[in-house]
């Protein structure tokens, strides 16, 4: 698989909607150590909302599906993560607004747009223990894969590896945003919960493009 | 999880149903949303509308502050989670009486980002929106970074004062200024003794040992100043007041309103013990008390704990605090 | 014992101190007693005085019901223990405005015997005293033995109604009759989820398993109907309402006031879930609701649990229930 | 010791004031099984109040000392038991109002007056699991001792034995009064807490007259 049509995006999002609720307790526990524990529920409910909305999105472009799915997520699971995730999906979707298909080459600008909109919405900069700290390293890694002419499945695997590495680095960062921000230096040592959720989704994505 | 609930996932929606059944003359739904409520007699034509919102689990915060002399509409999130921008927009639209809307709520990033989206959407519909954030918890960030501070029960003062000014017919800029004046003049700090459980999560989000309390803990269990062995209430209040008084700072000759707020499981008796010590400390500091509010003004379900908030009264604040206001979710005002 | 207190033995006296500091315009001490409080503007000359009292640990019961349109004085016992006859006599004497005194309180033997001694002493001082007892808990004795029933939160209705009638200028017999009418028309039943701890005792007086609740338990932990696994709130209310409705019995066409009372740790959200089911059941039974009171009207410190009370409205009861009344210890009245 | 002067009564009450608080937890646990758990505190506080009041009673007659001590008890530890105990002490005291000393022969009428006043105040009849169920058997036993010409220490020992036997019988009774009354048949099996407290005091009395 080298191209993703609207139907592919729907299939991928359906896979996320099915699998992500399985990480509920893990995300809850991680987030509980960062001040509250809502992220497990947020991701479960939000992903279910995405799944429930997919039927209405048949025939739409990948960009529209992503943007509308982001809004569905945050409608049912509004929260810091919900707003950030919706902003990210809307930013990514906007970048490929009218395209019927997306390819590997589209991914870096999609991720960069997502990161820049997230930054505008929440005021975070890289290094402050937010999803920016996995989005931007993935964008960099994928640019390298584009340059190297990699296949989409290889690039996705590489993106996941980059995400895992970047997630590891978030452990050393001090949170400044969301409820984790109040933990100050005590937030050091734990990985960023939101970035952990993103990593789980990217792992899913890598499997999706490998198997299809 | 020991709760009087049905399906944990239906908790918020069923609570709203119960509230609408109990208070049909006071509250109604906002058009286009299951998660937004407004004054039954709203929108009030020509009046600045005040819209708030936030996660469930804090009654009377948020929906209990809707009423004459108070707020106009509220959007309701899941327990301890932000409402969605759609619900915030529905509340904003429904409450709008042609004189603009003040978004007045607590400084939590989920609420800020989602209200931010809602405000952008409202502006696209030509509804003028101004935002003021309550950020009274002295423990949550140093005074130099006040904009990172979270809100706790002191939000009450901003609600009361903004609500009174809007009711008087002030314009949006003036209502927002009064709300901001109350917000920057309010300082709070709390203590938590036991956790609470989000119904859908089924387990407490934090634990405290049998003999432990946490000074400065936030109303969702956010980390505080320090965890310590249970202390006598006088010592707890001493430490709270040291932090609160030094922060504004309050000074001899100041006149304040005091709020001693219970988080839920702490009995009224203990809140009056807290007030007793607070009053002694204020007397010693030469600070006079105009009014004392003692009761449950912002809860965290079954959490045990309490907070003390001080509002420094200046200018219009006293008149606006004393103005009549009504909501059946609140304690009767001291008069 | 996780409480915000100082010396457990000083708990009651320090609470009273805190209350007097917080509400100096509302309450004052009765002459000759450290354990009796009265309206700051009392005695009200020519008005029937209503005096109550009982053990501490139940705020707003008892002292929170002193105020205009409500009661005149209160005597205050140790936690869950009767006040002494001396304190009851001091309250009776201080509140007496020349028109006689109604002793109105809950049917607990300690209170009954001690108030009995106080009434005898008051009569020796030529103060006319009439006694009315609230006894609304349907679980505490069969209907044929109503005089053995204990009082729970439904006491609120007798207070409100007697207070309004006294404020209107009714004489002692009429005020007592109104109180008795409210008392015999009120039925309540509760549920407890967790115990509470008397500060001076230091340990909970009863235990409930992690997953247990007790239906019908009294507000001091008195035995109820049955102990069961935690049930959904709708099922709890179904069982409560079956007992309450069948007891008077209430019938189709009746008009009632409803009180859903929280014992302390149970959050407001859950009380509205209880009201939600209560209203559905009343609708099905053809019983209309004139007013719903939902909140903390009689607590048991940090106990988790709640009760439902119904007052059948007949004759003057509705007018008296709707009359204005003020106490800063109570929730705002629904209007 | 065959006669009790005011000073003796004061010494005995001081002994009670010192010893009874030691039974606090036992009485609390017993009473907790009967609906609440206040009796432990009631007896501790009430006895301390009696002790604190004794200095003011020097030189008074035994009857006055008993009656005023009953009132002190109930002033500081008002409760069902407080009212009942005050009523009992006032009834007993009244019976020997003007006497400077009391002897064994005075004890049965004192106990009977106590029982009859308690019955008038609280409406209880024998067999309803109240202190009447130890007061009356003790009065009977003491009448026997008076008839047999026993010494006061022997009679007091015998009264204590009768009290213990009577207390044992309260186990089979169903409570009708106080908080225990709501337990109905579930109150069967436990001894009456108030009668247990009386028994402890009588045990003390027997030791007091034996040792002095
Ligand atoms: N300002 C921000 N910008 C980007 N991401 C953020 C921001 N604030 C929080 N996040 C992400 O959201 C996650 C927390 O989400 P959530 O649990 O919903 O919020 P909260 O911290 O308010 O409970 C964090 O782990 C982080 O990855
Ligand atoms: N009506 C009564 N007459 C005599 N004794 C009584 C009566 N009611 C209760 N008692 C005694 O008082 C004891 C209970 O006292 P206490 O714990 O103060 O009362 P409560 O049952 O109200 O908690 C009982 O064990 C019994 O011995
Ligand atoms: Mg979180
Ligand atoms: Mg509560
Ligand atoms: Mg409470
Ligand atoms: Mg007892």
């Amino acid at each position: 698989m080298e191209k993703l049509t609207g139907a592919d995006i729907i299939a991928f999002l359906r896979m996320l909607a099915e699998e992500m609720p399985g990480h509920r307790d893990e995300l809850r526990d991680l987030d509980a150590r960062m001040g509250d524990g809502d992220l497990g529920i947020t991701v479960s409910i939000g992903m279910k909302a995405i799944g429930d909305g997919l039927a209405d999105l048949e025939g739409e472009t990948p960009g529209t599906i992503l943007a509308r799915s982001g809004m569905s997520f945050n409608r049912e699971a509004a929260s810091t993560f919900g707003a950030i995730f919706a902003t990210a999906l809307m930013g990514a979707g906007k970048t490929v607004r009218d395209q019927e298909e997306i390819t590997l080459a589209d991914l870096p600008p999609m991720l960069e747009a997502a990161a820049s909109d997230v930054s505008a919405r929440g005021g975070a900069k890289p290094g402050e223990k937010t999803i920016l700290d996995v989005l931007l390293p993935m964008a960099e890694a994928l640019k390298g894969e584009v340059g190297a002419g990699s296949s989409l499945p290889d690039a996705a695997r590489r993106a996941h590896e980059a995400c895992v590495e970047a997630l590891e680095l978030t452990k050393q960062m001090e949170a400044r945003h969301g409820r984790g921000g109040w933990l100050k230096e005590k937030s050091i040592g734990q990985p960023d919960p939101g970035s952990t959720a993103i990593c789980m989704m990217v792992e899913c994505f890598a499997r999706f493009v490998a198997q299809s | 999880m020991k709760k009087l609930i049905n399906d944990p996932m239906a908790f918020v929606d069923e609570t709203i149903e119960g509230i609408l059944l109990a208070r049909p003359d006071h509250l109604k739904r906002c058009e286009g949303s299951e998660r937004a409520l407004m004054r039954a007699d709203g929108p009030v034509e020509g009046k600045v509308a005040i819209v708030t919102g936030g996660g469930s689990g804090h009654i009377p915060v948020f929906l209990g502050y809707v009423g004459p002399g108070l707020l106009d509409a509220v959007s309701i999130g899941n327990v301890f989670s932000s409402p969605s921008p759609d619900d915030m927009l529905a509340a904003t639209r429904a409450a709008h009486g042609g004189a603009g809307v003040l978004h007045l709520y607590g400084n939590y990033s989920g609420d800020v980002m989602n209200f931010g989206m809602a405000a952008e959407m409202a502006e696209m519909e030509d509804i003028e929106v101004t935002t003021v954030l309550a950020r009274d918890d002295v423990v949550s960030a140093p005074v130099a970074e006040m904009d990172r501070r979270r809100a706790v029960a002191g939000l009450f003062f901003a609600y009361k004062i903004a609500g009174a000014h809007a009711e008087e017919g002030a314009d949006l800029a003036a209502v927002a200024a009064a709300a901001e004046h109350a917000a920057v003049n309010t300082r709070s700090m709390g203590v938590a003794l036991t956790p609470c459980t989000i119904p859908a999560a089924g387990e407490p989000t934090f634990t405290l040992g049998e003999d432990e309390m946490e000074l400065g803990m936030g109303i969702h269990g956010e980390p505080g100043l320090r965890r310590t062995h249970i202390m006598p209430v006088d010592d707890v209040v001493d430490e709270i007041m040291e932090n609160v008084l030094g922060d504004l700072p309050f000074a001899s000759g100041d006149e304040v309103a005091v709020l001693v707020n219970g988080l839920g499981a702490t009995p009224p008796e203990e809140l009056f013990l807290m007030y007793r010590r607070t009053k002694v400390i204020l007397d010693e500091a030469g600070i006079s008390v105009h009014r004392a509010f003692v009761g449950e003004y912002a809860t965290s379900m079954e959490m045990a704990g309490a907070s003390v908030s001080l509002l420094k009264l200046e200018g219009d604040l006293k008149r606006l605090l004393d103005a009549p206001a009504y909501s059946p979710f609140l304690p009767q005002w001291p008069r």
Side-chain angles (χ1 to χ4, degrees), chain A, chain B:
Chain A
M1 163 179 274
E2 289 302 328
K3 294 185 290 198
L4 297 163
T5 63
D8 294 327
I9 297 292
I10 287 177
F12 165 56
L13 290 173
R14 185 159 291 129
M15 183 171 165
L16 278 188
E18 271 158 27
E19 293 194 11
M20 287 303 293
H23 296 296
R24 190 186 126 130
D25 292 355
E26 189 183 337
L27 289 173
R28 182 193 60 207
D29 293 348
L30 206 56
D31 191 41
R33 271 174 262 140
M34 298 290 284
D36 64 353
D38 59 334
L39 193 64
I41 305 170
T42 296
V43 170
S44 301
I45 297 180
M47 281 299 172
K48 190 177 169 303
I50 287 184
D52 292 347
L54 292 175
D56 290 346
L57 295 173
E58 307 269 359
E60 300 287 350
T61 62
T64 301
I65 294 167
L66 288 173
R68 300 256 297 266
S69 293
M71 288 169 72
S72 301
F73 185 107
N74 193 40
R75 186 172 303 118
E76 297 299 320
S79 55
T80 303
F81 187 79
I84 287 296
F85 189 62
T87 302
L89 288 190
M90 287 161 77
K94 218 169 44 189
T95 314
V96 292
R97 191 171 353 224
D98 306 316
Q99 294 175 218
E100 289 297 327
E101 296 172 344
I102 53 184
T103 65
L104 171 56
D106 293 314
L107 297 183
M110 286 172 74
L111 283 171
E112 282 172 343
S116 114
D117 285 7
V118 162
S119 197
R121 168 68 54 213
K125 295 189 294 291
E128 294 177 347
K129 205 167 189 139
T130 71
I131 65 167
L132 293 181
D133 297 312
V134 295
L135 294 182
L136 292 171
M138 280 197 288
E140 282 314 304
L142 285 169
K143 273 190 219 166
E145 298 302 304
V146 173
S150 301
S151 70
L152 179 56
D154 285 350
R157 193 167 5 88
R158 187 52 212 111
H160 177 241
E161 285 164 15
C163 194
V164 170
E165 285 160 27
L167 178 63
E168 188 63 27
L169 293 179
T170 67
K171 288 192 188 167
Q172 299 320 313
M173 298 175 185
E174 186 176 320
R176 302 265 316 160
H177 302 275
R179 294 215 162 93
W182 290 308
L183 272 174
K184 295 161 210 155
E185 66 287 350
K186 276 178 248 163
S187 65
I188 296 174
Q190 308 284 343
D192 176 49
S195 300
T196 306
I198 299 291
C199 242
M200 291 163 172
M201 297 180 206
V202 174
E203 189 276 330
C204 216
F205 180 69
R207 256 188 297 122
F208 176 78
V209 295
Q211 103 210 153
S212 312
Chain B
M1 177 172 52
K2 280 199 156 177
K3 288 179 185 279
L4 290 164
I5 60 172
N6 295 307
D7 174 8
M9 300 307 289
F11 175 74
V12 173
D13 292 311
E14 291 187 355
T15 301
I16 295 172
E17 281 176 36
I19 285 169
L20 288 171
L21 286 170
R23 304 287 167 248
D25 301 332
H26 186 69
L27 291 175
K28 66 182 179 194
R29 285 194 200 271
C30 296
E31 176 154 352
S33 169
E34 300 289 296
R35 289 294 191 90
L37 301 178
M38 64 187 293
R39 280 171 64 161
D41 62 349
V44 184
E45 219 36 61
K47 186 181 91 71
V48 169
I50 308 179
V51 171
T52 191
S56 290
H58 299 299
I59 289 177
V61 161
F62 296 88
L63 59 86
Y65 287 94
V66 172
L70 294 163
L71 313 180
D72 294 87
V74 60
S75 53
I76 302 167
N78 287 323
V79 175
F80 294 3
S81 291
S82 168
S84 75
D86 309 72
D87 298 318
M88 292 164 169
L89 179 62
T92 303
R93 225 185 249 141
H96 188 221
V101 177
L102 175 65
H103 280 180
L104 176 57
Y105 55 93
N107 190 26
Y108 288 93
S109 59
D111 299 311
V112 172
M113 289 193 234
N114 284 298
F115 262 113
M117 292 177 161
E120 287 166 21
M121 295 190 270
E123 309 255 334
M124 291 196 295
E125 299 180 16
D126 287 326
I127 301 174
E128 193 185 356
V129 176
T130 302
T131 297
V132 172
L133 301 176
R135 43 205 196 285
D136 53 314
D137 185 347
V138 300
V139 160
S140 53
V143 71
E145 295 180 65
M146 182 146 176
D147 290 351
R148 293 186 57 217
R149 285 188 173 174
R150 60 195 176 227
V152 289
L155 176 57
F156 159 72
F157 289 127
Y159 281 162
K160 178 68 190 67
I161 279 159
H165 209 31
E167 201 77 29
E168 286 180 345
D171 67 15
L172 179 56
V175 172
E180 178 67 13
H181 193 185
V184 299
N185 273 22
T186 301
R187 293 293 185 281
S188 305
M189 181 174 150
V191 60
L193 276 71
T194 67
C196 62
T197 299
I198 298 174
E203 288 179 24
T205 47
F206 64 94
T207 50
L208 271 167
E210 260 308 304
D211 295 325
E212 280 183 334
M213 51 169 58
E214 186 161 324
L215 280 153
M217 186 175 256
I219 57 173
H220 311 95
E222 293 91 346
L225 258 194
R226 64 190 188 94
R227 206 163 263 216
T228 157
H229 194 272
I230 286 277
M231 307 193 300
V233 65
D234 281 0
D235 296 353
V236 170
V237 175
D238 287 350
E239 189 157 338
I240 287 176
M241 289 299 281
E242 194 182 314
N243 285 283
V244 165
L245 287 177
D247 195 83
L248 189 66
F250 294 85
S252 177
D254 282 354
E255 186 173 18
V256 298
V258 181
L259 167 63
V260 178
N261 177 63
L263 285 178
T266 288
E269 287 80 1
E270 298 177 25
L271 302 181
F272 283 103
L273 292 180
M274 291 191 72
Y275 183 72
R276 173 176 171 272
R277 184 67 183 174
T278 302
K279 181 70 166 70
V280 167
I281 294 171
L282 290 173
D283 285 348
E284 280 168 8
I287 297 167
S288 65
V289 177
H290 173 61
R291 265 164 191 263
F293 300 82
V294 182
E296 294 183 354
Y297 290 80
T299 64
S300 292
M301 299 191 290
E302 71 279 12
M303 204 188 283
S307 61
V308 180
S309 303
L310 297 187
L311 166 67
K312 180 172 169 178
L313 292 169
E314 296 173 319
D316 288 342
L317 296 181
K318 195 159 153 180
R319 185 189 83 247
L320 295 169
L321 185 67
D322 289 351
Y326 169 71
S327 161
F329 296 87
L330 295 174
Q332 298 197 10
W333 309 121
R335 54 180 190 186

